[in-house]
């Protein structure tokens, strides 16, 4: 009888062990749950909240000056005004070697370091991107290796920064990059993930981050991605009188905005982005929007307020283009906010 009991006990222990092994194989306790990660990335996007771009600054080509003198103390003003985030466009390609290993100049890294240090001090989230990498847009296959190498260096240098730092792979992919973007974004993402496996990474569709081209964006399974889009429609209104616009738009003056049909079109476009995000389980970051100063001011304010209202209705985070240049909400000469635009963005909300 004791022998039979002993065999029964051993058999029971074996079954329990096997059951525990099977359970562990099905539900690994120490591996992050993908559903939880996706929940986290939506929360990360929510934290970005309302932001502003530091445009015409660090994305300016080397040895040029676009007369926008942003200083570190401006970050305190931005935080005090109620913004949660800044987006820093950076032309890294002008400060990286053209031959492997494509080393980024230490002095330029140190310059970016100071801005990140000050942003952290002011408790601002930061979106750090690659901006105006013209070679990547025009000759993507020739620059893909350099693009990844630049991201490898950025990611490794800032791997210990807190979750307030977000990486954005490339601003407004366009030109020849359109047809290669889905492959090249994977290469850049792999370079980031080698040292930052869970940091939020922002990526947008080809053809200038256009909402209409979201269906052309093919993302990997990575659950820690935020999708960005830009909003400058109608282009004839938002870019009228801009020196860099085409001749027809550059010649426009006095075009207003705000009819019922125009408002409905804008709301529908933003809703399309939100619906794409929902159907793909991806949060949406409206990374740029703005109307140039040549447009009638009352219409600029109305357009800006409408974009913000629609974006927030769709639970998007956003970053206005931009702080203190042609679209700017801050007057560097008078050292004061443009109150009507600020009211459209934050103060009236």
């Amino acid at each position: 009888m004791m022998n039979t009991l002993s065999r029964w006990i051993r058999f029971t222990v074996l079954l329990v062990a096997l059951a525990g092994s099977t359970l562990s194989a099905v539900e690994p306790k120490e591996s992050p749950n993908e559903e939880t990660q996706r929940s986290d990335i939506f929360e990360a996007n929510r934290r970005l909240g309302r932001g502003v771009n530091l445009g015409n600054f660090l994305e300016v080509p080397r040895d040029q000056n676009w007369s926008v003198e942003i200083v570190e103390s401006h970050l305190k003003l931005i935080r005090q005004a109620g913004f949660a985030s800044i987006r820093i466009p950076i032309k890294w390609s002008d400060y990286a070697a053209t031959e492997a290993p494509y080393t980024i100049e230490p002095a330029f890294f140190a310059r970016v370091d100071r801005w990140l240090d000050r942003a952290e001090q002011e408790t601002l989230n930061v979106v750090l991107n690659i901006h105006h990498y013209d070679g990547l847009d025009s000759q993507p296959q020739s620059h893909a290796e350099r693009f990844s190498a630049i991201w490898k260096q950025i990611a490794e240098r800032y791997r210990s920064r807190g979750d307030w730092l977000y990486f954005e792979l490339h601003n407004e992919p366009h030109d020849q990059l359109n047809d290669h973007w889905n492959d090249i974004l994977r290469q850049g993402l792999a370079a980031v993930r080698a040292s930052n496996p869970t940091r939020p990474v922002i990526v947008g569709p080809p053809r200038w981050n256009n909402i209409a081209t979201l269906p052309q964006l093919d993302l990997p399974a990575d659950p820690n991605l935020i999708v960005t889009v830009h909003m400058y429609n109608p282009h004839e209104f938002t870019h009228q009188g801009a020196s860099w616009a085409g001749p027809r738009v550059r010649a426009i003056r006095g075009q207003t905005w705000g009819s019922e049909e125009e408002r409905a079109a804008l709301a529908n476009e933003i809703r399309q982005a939100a619906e794409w995000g929902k159907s793909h389980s991806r949060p949406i970051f409206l990374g740029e929007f703005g109307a140039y100063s040549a447009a009638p001011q009352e219409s600029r304010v109305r357009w800006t307020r409408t974009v913000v209202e629609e974006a927030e209705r769709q639970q998007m985070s956003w970053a206005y283009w931009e702080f203190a240049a042609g679209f700017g909400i801050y007057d560097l000469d008078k050292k004061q906010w443009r109150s009507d635009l600020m009211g459209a963005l934050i103060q009236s909300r």
Side-chain angles (χ1 to χ4, degrees):
M1 181 176 178
M2 290 299 294
N3 190 38
T4 301
L5 180 60
S6 298
R7 286 199 302 271
W8 182 83
I9 291 172
R10 287 197 298 270
F11 179 68
T12 302
V13 170
L14 179 60
L15 284 178
V16 170
L18 286 172
S21 176
T22 302
L23 181 62
S24 298
V26 174
E27 299 179 341
K29 295 181 180 179
E30 296 182 358
S31 298
N33 180 276
E34 184 169 318
E35 184 176 341
T36 300
Q37 285 184 299
R38 287 201 182 275
S39 175
D40 289 346
I41 198 63
F42 276 87
E43 172 60 20
N45 189 52
R46 188 198 64 76
R47 286 199 308 271
L48 278 175
R50 300 164 177 166
V52 62
N53 281 270
L54 301 188
N56 293 36
F57 180 47
L58 291 181
E59 91 272 23
V60 173
R62 187 177 192 132
D63 300 325
Q64 292 188 27
N65 186 328
W66 289 355
S67 301
V68 178
E69 298 298 332
I70 301 176
V71 296
E72 291 177 22
S73 60
H74 285 140
L75 298 192
K76 180 180 287 294
L77 295 178
I78 289 170
R79 191 71 179 100
Q80 290 175 340
F83 292 100
S85 304
I86 55 172
R87 181 172 178 258
I88 310 181
I90 302 179
K91 193 171 175 61
W92 294 96
S93 55
D94 273 14
Y95 299 90
T98 56
E99 302 291 335
Y102 310 108
T103 303
I104 296 171
E105 296 175 17
F108 188 71
F109 253 141
R111 186 181 178 190
V112 175
D113 291 348
R114 289 192 294 273
W115 283 95
L116 294 183
D117 291 343
R118 186 55 185 265
E120 183 175 18
Q121 180 182 342
E122 301 296 342
T123 66
L124 283 163
N125 300 299
V126 176
V127 175
L128 199 67
N129 80 359
I130 285 181
H131 213 91
H132 294 327
Y133 189 169
D134 303 322
L136 183 67
D137 290 302
S138 61
Q139 296 179 300
Q141 292 171 308
S142 299
H143 285 262
E145 180 183 300
R146 185 170 182 250
F147 172 67
S148 296
I150 290 173
W151 265 119
K152 180 176 184 292
Q153 294 171 75
I154 296 170
E156 288 179 348
R157 187 176 187 93
Y158 300 130
R159 65 190 301 173
S160 298
R161 297 280 180 162
D163 60 6
W164 51 269
L165 179 61
Y166 300 62
F167 294 152
E168 182 181 341
L169 289 181
H170 182 52
N171 178 71
E172 295 185 342
H174 60 278
D175 200 3
Q176 299 303 309
L177 183 56
N178 289 332
D179 295 332
H180 301 275
W181 180 229
N182 288 323
D183 292 330
I184 289 177
L185 75 85
R186 282 167 165 76
Q187 297 173 41
L189 182 61
V192 170
R193 289 292 178 238
S195 58
N196 291 256
T198 60
R199 184 177 299 280
V201 172
I202 299 171
V203 60
R207 292 174 172 80
W208 306 91
N209 290 158
N210 196 317
I211 290 172
T213 58
L214 275 170
Q216 299 175 25
L217 181 63
D218 179 23
L219 294 176
D222 190 318
N224 292 302
L225 300 179
I226 295 171
V227 173
T228 187
V229 292
H230 292 178
M231 178 63 175
Y232 291 105
N233 287 335
H235 184 75
E236 292 80 2
F237 167 71
T238 64
H239 281 69
Q240 61 183 293
S243 61
W244 64 92
R248 183 179 64 82
V249 176
R250 186 165 62 240
I252 296 173
R253 292 293 190 280
Q255 180 170 318
T256 60
W257 183 93
S259 70
E260 185 176 336
E261 292 78 11
E262 288 169 331
R263 288 171 179 266
L266 187 151
N268 182 61
E269 188 170 1
I270 292 178
R271 185 168 55 250
Q272 288 176 10
E275 290 173 351
W276 185 94
K278 290 174 184 175
S279 66
H280 292 79
S281 298
R282 301 289 187 180
I284 304 293
F285 169 56
L286 182 58
E288 290 186 19
F289 65 98
Y292 186 58
S293 58
Q297 187 69 3
E298 185 176 339
S299 288
R300 288 182 72 202
V301 172
R302 185 183 304 117
W303 182 90
T304 301
R305 179 178 287 110
T306 304
V307 172
V308 169
E309 287 174 349
E310 295 299 331
E312 294 190 349
R313 181 174 291 116
Q314 301 297 340
Q315 298 182 315
M316 296 179 184
S317 57
W318 53 260
Y320 177 77
W321 186 271
E322 35 63 29
F323 176 60
F327 294 75
I329 51 173
Y330 186 80
D331 189 319
L332 289 173
D333 294 328
K334 295 181 179 179
K335 298 183 178 179
Q336 65 184 30
W337 297 104
R338 294 187 167 97
S339 59
D340 51 359
L341 279 172
M342 277 294 291
L345 291 167
I346 287 183
Q347 291 179 2
S348 65
R349 317 192 69 71

